[in-house]
Amino acid sequence: MFIWDFVADTVLGQIFDWIYGKIVEFLSEFLNMMNGMGSELFELIWVQAVVEFFHYFAWALYVVGLVVAVFEAAVEYQGGRTTAVRDLALGSVKGFLAVSLFTTVPVELYKLCIDLQGSLSSGIAGASNTEGVSNMARAAMGGLNGYGIFIALFLLILMGYSVIKIFFANLKRGGILLIQIAVGSLYLFSIPRGYVDGFYGWCRQVIGLCLTAFLQTTILIAGLMVWNENMLLGCGLMLSSSEIPRIAQQFGLETSTRANIMQAVYATQTVVNLGKSLAAAVK
């Protein structure tokens, strides 16, 4: 009887480990596919048309800002500020690089992060240890004699909550990147004039989005692997994956569009007021 229990315990543990490993591999591939859909969004014709529109719009703002910067530099140079020409040249070069790359670099950086995340998650999922009896099997068998089944169900709910939250985060990340590209075009008016703080904040925002896309799914898959050995610790690791955007924000890598949109609206109002002033001067 002891031999039968030992064999059954070992066999069931190996079966549960194999099933759980397949589930982790499926979730890894599925979440990677969700992240890939965000990059595939930019392969659609109408999305490319929208990006191209904001690219031309950014060029127009850059030219207008460059003209305004020339007049401002001329006024400052006449007032005795000899560094105005140098600042104008630096602002023009920065603006030219920004307007040439702001629609391509974020997309390519996002694709690179997704590819790296997919490779790393596949490696983590394939490195599962299938030796011994898993805690999942022990919880399923030991829960019949006590309260283990309720704890196991609670931890399963936490795991499902973490997976669903990361799923929706991955699903909307491509749209957020498209919005960031659209908002980034509004900063090209200020760069030739030397006001680059807003555009630097936009760059940090894009980096934060790509970093979140890389880390969230990776930490979630790592938590799923730990969950098979220590369910409570694995749930804590999976829940921590949803805190990555907040942690990145503390280091200046804002992943939302709220702050930059307000700064971009201010830049747009500046352009509108400048246009009204020029129209009044012409009249």
Side-chain angles (χ1 to χ4, degrees):
M1 194 68 181
F2 171 77
I3 297 176
W4 171 255
D5 291 339
F6 177 76
V7 172
D9 193 35
T10 304
V11 172
L12 286 177
Q14 291 179 351
I15 292 175
F16 273 107
D17 280 332
W18 181 81
I19 294 175
Y20 187 74
K22 293 300 180 183
I23 293 175
V24 172
E25 290 180 4
F26 166 75
L27 289 176
S28 176
E29 294 178 0
F30 180 73
L31 294 175
N32 187 32
M33 182 184 67
M34 290 296 101
N35 272 331
M37 290 177 61
S39 61
E40 292 174 359
L41 177 68
F42 293 90
E43 297 178 2
L44 300 177
I45 300 299
W46 68 270
V47 175
Q48 293 178 356
V50 172
V51 173
E52 193 69 15
F53 166 77
F54 283 104
H55 182 67
Y56 287 124
F57 180 65
W59 271 107
L61 290 180
Y62 169 71
V63 172
V64 175
L66 184 61
V67 173
V68 174
V70 169
F71 283 105
E72 290 178 347
V75 173
E76 292 177 356
Y77 186 79
Q78 290 179 354
R81 186 169 177 266
T82 57
T83 61
V85 178
R86 185 193 63 185
D87 295 340
L88 174 63
L90 290 176
S92 302
V93 173
K94 292 179 181 179
F96 178 79
L97 293 176
V99 77
S100 301
L101 301 175
F102 87 101
T103 57
T104 56
V105 171
V107 178
E108 296 301 325
L109 180 61
Y110 181 72
K111 290 180 179 179
L112 176 62
C113 292
I114 294 304
D115 292 338
L116 292 176
Q117 178 269 316
S119 301
L120 184 58
S121 298
S122 299
I124 294 175
S128 59
N129 184 11
T130 58
E131 298 180 356
V133 183
S134 67
N135 285 344
M136 192 174 180
R138 291 180 178 177
M141 293 183 292
L144 299 176
N145 299 323
Y147 297 98
I149 186 65
F150 297 103
I151 297 176
L153 287 176
F154 177 71
L155 295 177
L156 281 173
I157 292 173
L158 289 180
M159 182 183 70
Y161 168 78
S162 302
V163 173
I164 292 174
K165 191 170 184 179
I166 299 304
F167 165 75
F168 283 107
N170 292 346
L171 190 62
K172 66 181 181 180
R173 195 164 285 127
I176 293 177
L177 183 60
L178 179 62
I179 294 173
Q180 288 178 340
I181 291 176
V183 172
S185 63
L186 301 176
Y187 291 102
L188 274 303
F189 172 76
S190 302
I191 294 179
R193 301 169 60 204
Y195 303 106
V196 296
D197 292 340
F199 186 76
Y200 287 163
W202 178 84
C203 293
R204 291 193 298 268
Q205 190 181 38
V206 172
I207 295 173
L209 179 71
C210 296
L211 179 65
T212 302
F214 174 77
L215 285 180
Q216 270 194 333
T217 306
T218 303
I219 298 299
L220 179 65
I221 298 302
L224 288 172
M225 300 306 304
V226 176
W227 196 84
N228 193 31
E229 302 296 332
N230 190 322
M231 302 173 79
L232 188 60
L233 184 60
C235 283
L237 189 58
M238 285 185 285
L239 290 174
S240 67
S241 63
S242 61
E243 297 296 321
I244 291 176
R246 185 179 62 84
I247 297 173
Q249 182 179 356
Q250 300 300 319
F251 292 91
L253 300 178
E254 175 68 42
T255 58
S256 66
T257 58
R258 178 178 56 189
N260 273 357
I261 284 180
M262 295 303 298
Q263 296 174 3
V265 168
Y266 176 76
T268 306
Q269 290 177 348
T270 303
V271 176
V272 172
N273 294 332
L274 179 62
K276 291 181 179 179
S277 300
L278 291 176
V282 171
K283 290 182 179 180

